[in-house]
Amino acid sequence: MQLLPAPVRRLAAWCAVVLLVSGVGYVGIRLCAEFRTAVTPVLLALLGTALLGPLYRRLVRARVPRSLAAGLTCVAVVAVVGGAVYIVVAALIDTGDEIVASLKDAAQGVADHFGAAGTSLDDLATNAKELLTKFGGTAASNVISGVSIVGESIAMAVLALLLVFFFLRDSHRAVDTLRAIVPGGSADTAEAMARRAFEAVEGFMRGTTLIALIDAVCITVGLLVLGVPGAVGLGALVFVGAYIPYLGAFLSGAVAVLVALADRGFVIALWALGVVLAVQVLEGHVLQPMIQSRTVQMHPALVMLAITGGASVAGVLGMLLAVPVTAAAFGVFGVLRDRYTGG
């Protein structure tokens, strides 16, 4: 090694560090994937704790016992989310037949205007029974797999809710527990890193909630102006879906357009689509970069890259967790830099 110039030795040392960190990160990701049924509820519970912390602390300051305050906070979340889901499902059930009829009319219109291409679409709708019979085995297998996934998701959601309760109730003991685990000489550094990381997660949840609220209000007002039924329920769906970047907005917007198509016709559906697209453009190009970059103290480009990378690693869950995990990592690195380099 002494035969090599000093710059080359420094480059080799940094390459070794990067490879080591990358390897450890890859192994960590693989382990999280293998134990996802345990890891996912913990991560979701941390996000929920960061979001619900202010409400819980307000109840505690009002002299409500900690266990009762944590329980009331969790009950409030279940009531809000459950109520939103009920409103949306009820609206979809009421307009379900109309949506199907509208889609059939749209297929017929395509057949009338585009000839052979449209006819193929109409034939596909007409021969759906034959297709289901032909691919019945595959469909049954997919249904069974889907039921398993739904059951696993419900179990993880229940576990995450229970963890939120315990995290909120015992949050005042977190620092003492961390100091008891970490060796004495590193306790201060570990506490600083944990605080900085959790502050980053809290910033992400505040920013996401603000974006979701703005999206829901704008789309709800637009649907009310257009006279679309169930506008409030659809707005609630938009609010919940906004916590899943890109995909949640797409699905909730598609539902709103379908309901408008079913009840008000093609022209109103186009207007509803315009409202949804305008709000999504506002979110993607203004709200998401500006608000998230401030609340998690990250550059907008880094926010978008983190979301894209998270999607490639873990799909929808990766999109949800990418920004807070990246922000927490930057917070930890910032503490280490300040303490060991004097920066």
Side-chain angles (χ1 to χ4, degrees):
M1 290 294 291
Q2 297 298 328
L3 298 177
L4 297 175
V8 176
R9 293 199 301 270
R10 286 195 294 269
L11 177 61
W14 277 110
C15 289
V17 171
V18 170
L19 289 174
L20 179 61
V21 172
S22 300
V24 171
Y26 177 78
V27 172
I29 292 174
R30 295 299 301 174
L31 289 175
C32 289
E34 289 295 328
F35 298 100
R36 63 184 182 279
T37 54
V39 174
T40 301
V42 173
L43 296 177
L44 294 178
L46 288 174
L47 295 182
T49 302
L51 177 63
L52 301 173
L55 175 59
Y56 167 76
R57 289 191 290 268
R58 184 170 299 179
L59 292 174
V60 172
R61 286 196 296 268
R63 299 184 182 279
V64 178
R66 291 185 178 273
S67 296
L68 181 59
L72 290 175
T73 304
C74 294
V75 169
V77 172
V78 172
V80 171
V81 176
V85 171
Y86 173 78
I87 293 173
V88 172
V89 171
L92 292 179
I93 291 176
D94 292 339
T95 58
D97 294 337
E98 297 177 2
I99 291 175
V100 173
S102 298
L103 292 178
K104 187 176 181 180
D105 292 341
Q108 183 61 46
V110 171
D112 294 339
H113 286 86
F114 295 99
T119 303
S120 63
L121 291 176
D122 190 53
D123 290 341
L124 181 61
T126 304
N127 299 323
K129 184 176 181 180
E130 295 181 8
L131 291 173
L132 288 176
T133 302
K134 183 177 180 180
F135 298 104
T138 303
S141 176
N142 291 337
V143 167
I144 294 174
S145 177
V147 171
S148 176
I149 293 174
V150 169
E152 181 179 299
S153 300
I154 293 175
M156 288 192 295
V158 172
L159 178 57
L161 183 63
L162 292 175
L163 289 175
V164 168
F165 170 81
F166 290 119
F167 288 171
L168 288 173
R169 190 193 66 177
D170 301 327
S171 57
H172 62 292
R173 303 175 183 170
V175 173
D176 295 335
T177 302
L178 179 64
R179 285 184 167 274
I181 297 174
V182 178
S186 304
D188 291 339
T189 302
E191 179 183 347
M193 290 190 299
R195 289 185 182 278
R196 186 76 64 86
F198 193 73
E199 288 172 359
V201 175
E202 281 188 324
F204 166 78
M205 295 305 295
R206 287 197 304 268
T208 301
T209 302
L210 179 58
I211 293 173
L213 182 61
I214 294 174
D215 286 357
V217 170
C218 292
I219 290 181
T220 301
V221 170
L223 295 179
L224 287 173
V225 171
L226 295 174
V228 177
V232 175
L234 295 172
L237 179 63
V238 170
F239 180 81
V240 175
Y243 285 93
I244 304 177
Y246 302 138
L247 182 60
F250 171 78
L251 293 177
S252 57
V255 172
V257 173
L258 285 176
V259 172
L261 176 66
D263 190 82
R264 300 301 310 278
F266 185 72
V267 175
I268 298 298
L270 285 180
W271 279 103
L273 178 61
V275 170
V276 171
L277 290 179
V279 172
Q280 298 311 320
V281 169
L282 176 65
E283 175 191 342
H285 293 82
V286 179
L287 298 178
Q288 189 84 23
M290 291 183 60
I291 294 178
Q292 289 289 35
S293 63
R294 291 183 179 181
T295 55
V296 300
Q297 299 180 350
M298 292 168 57
H299 192 274
L302 186 57
V303 171
M304 290 184 284
L305 287 175
I307 293 174
T308 304
S312 64
V313 172
V316 176
L317 182 62
M319 296 171 69
L320 175 63
L321 298 175
V323 176
V325 169
T326 304
F330 270 81
V332 170
F333 290 149
V335 171
L336 294 176
R337 184 190 62 241
D338 294 342
R339 288 182 176 267
Y340 293 108
T341 65

